[in-house]
Amino acid sequence: MEIRNQIISLAEQYEKPDFIVGDPSWFMHQVDGRANQELTAFIASTLSFGARSQFMPKVQGILDAADGDVFGWLKSGEYEKYVPQSNKCFYRIVNCNAMFRLCKALQHIVEEYGTLKNFVAGSADLRMLSCIEVLDFITSYFRPYELSGLIPKDIKSPCKRLCMFLRWMVRDNSPVDLGIWSDIIDKRSLIIPLDTHVFQQANRLELVCSRTASMATAIKISERMLDIFPDDPMRGDFALFGYGVNNK
């Protein structure tokens, strides 16, 4: 009961508008229009690895190149001027060729479906989707584009950045997350974005006892959070962030 109350208290403390400052979720709040927000969020989440001081400028560079209209930038093919096809490094292990293929894949989605939401919803068969279904659908779609380092090829890994993106899109009534996909994906099925930090905090709080940060571990932690927040388990993501900050 003590741990449960602590997690609830931490979630209330950290899920506030000022959480956005310095967080990759900041970028989706800087653009207008839902189609633009979701594409901006997808690219921001995809590049969110390494130090924030390194990847935040990279995402900002894309936003600047697109003049705040990532949707139009991708649809028109203007990205080809900013991300040439070359082996030159774009960011850390990602070269320009890989970033170009990511943009090309997103351009194809926009051309065929109009928006990322329509793309995902097309697999729903008029029903609410689960997070794990959507993760499998997204990784399967992007697999032929060979985007190692950007998008996992399957859902054996925790898919941390994709889970973070889905949290942004699905959770409603939040000062941080947009909730613009809340009508197609059940937020109770969301899986925690599992990185080293979250993994360590979850073990310290005995939410899970695991040596491996796998998808199975992420699901176990998410299930524990569902017990604490029955309608909105990913509130626990803010709690684990706060727990780490408070115990540095």
Side-chain angles (χ1 to χ4, degrees):
M1 182 62 73
E2 182 181 345
I3 290 176
R4 180 180 185 277
N5 291 338
Q6 184 179 13
I7 289 173
I8 291 172
S9 176
L10 284 167
E12 292 173 349
Q13 181 181 348
Y14 283 93
E15 190 180 5
K16 293 181 178 179
D18 58 6
F19 178 90
I20 296 169
V21 180
D23 187 74
S25 61
W26 181 85
F27 294 102
M28 66 191 186
H29 291 277
Q30 309 310 307
V31 299
D32 298 322
R34 291 189 171 190
N36 197 17
Q37 285 179 313
E38 61 186 24
L39 284 165
T40 300
F42 191 84
I43 290 176
S45 65
T46 299
L47 289 172
S48 293
F49 62 96
R52 290 188 179 190
S53 60
Q54 294 177 332
F55 71 72
M56 294 286 279
K58 281 295 178 182
V59 181
Q60 184 62 57
I62 290 174
L63 209 60
D64 291 343
D67 197 22
D69 181 15
V70 175
F71 175 84
W73 184 69
L74 289 168
K75 185 176 182 179
S76 67
E78 282 293 306
Y79 65 85
E80 295 184 14
K81 298 176 183 178
Y82 185 73
V83 191
Q85 295 186 71
S86 76
N87 289 320
K88 182 180 177 181
C89 175
F90 181 80
Y91 172 59
R92 294 190 65 171
I93 61 172
V94 178
N95 63 25
C96 288
N97 277 328
M99 196 64 202
F100 178 90
R101 291 196 298 273
L102 174 65
C103 290
K104 178 64 71 175
L106 292 172
Q107 182 185 25
H108 289 163
I109 287 173
V110 168
E111 289 173 343
E112 185 171 355
Y113 299 93
T115 67
L116 264 179
K117 182 179 181 179
N118 289 345
F119 161 69
V120 171
S123 64
D125 296 326
L126 302 178
R127 62 182 174 84
M128 291 288 278
L129 291 163
S130 70
C131 180
I132 199 73
E133 285 179 296
V134 175
L135 289 173
D136 187 46
F137 178 66
I138 291 175
T139 55
S140 296
Y141 176 84
F142 283 97
R143 192 178 303 134
Y145 289 92
E146 298 181 355
L147 297 173
S148 176
L150 286 170
I151 296 177
K153 63 180 181 180
D154 54 43
I155 57 174
K156 294 178 182 178
S157 72
C159 297
K160 181 257 181 175
R161 285 169 279 161
L162 285 178
C163 287
M164 181 173 67
F165 168 73
L166 291 177
R167 196 204 83 199
W168 294 346
M169 295 297 101
V170 176
R171 287 190 69 246
D172 51 6
N173 302 314
S174 170
V176 179
D177 303 323
L178 296 178
I180 56 179
W181 290 11
S182 61
D183 58 332
I184 64 169
I185 300 172
D186 186 348
K187 69 180 178 182
R188 293 171 299 179
S189 74
L190 288 173
I191 298 169
I192 200 157
L194 184 63
D195 57 14
T196 301
H197 170 82
V198 170
F199 180 65
Q200 290 173 344
Q201 308 319 320
N203 272 288
R204 286 170 184 164
L205 284 166
E206 298 182 353
L207 296 172
V208 68
C209 181
S210 176
R211 295 181 180 180
T212 307
S214 62
M215 176 59 76
T217 302
I219 290 173
K220 287 179 183 178
I221 297 171
S222 302
E223 288 171 346
R224 290 297 306 275
M225 290 303 178
L226 187 61
D227 291 336
I228 299 170
F229 304 105
D231 297 319
D232 189 9
M234 285 310 99
R235 290 204 73 200
D237 195 14
F238 296 92
L240 292 182
F241 171 85
Y243 182 78
V245 171
N246 288 358
N247 288 279
K248 278 186 177 179

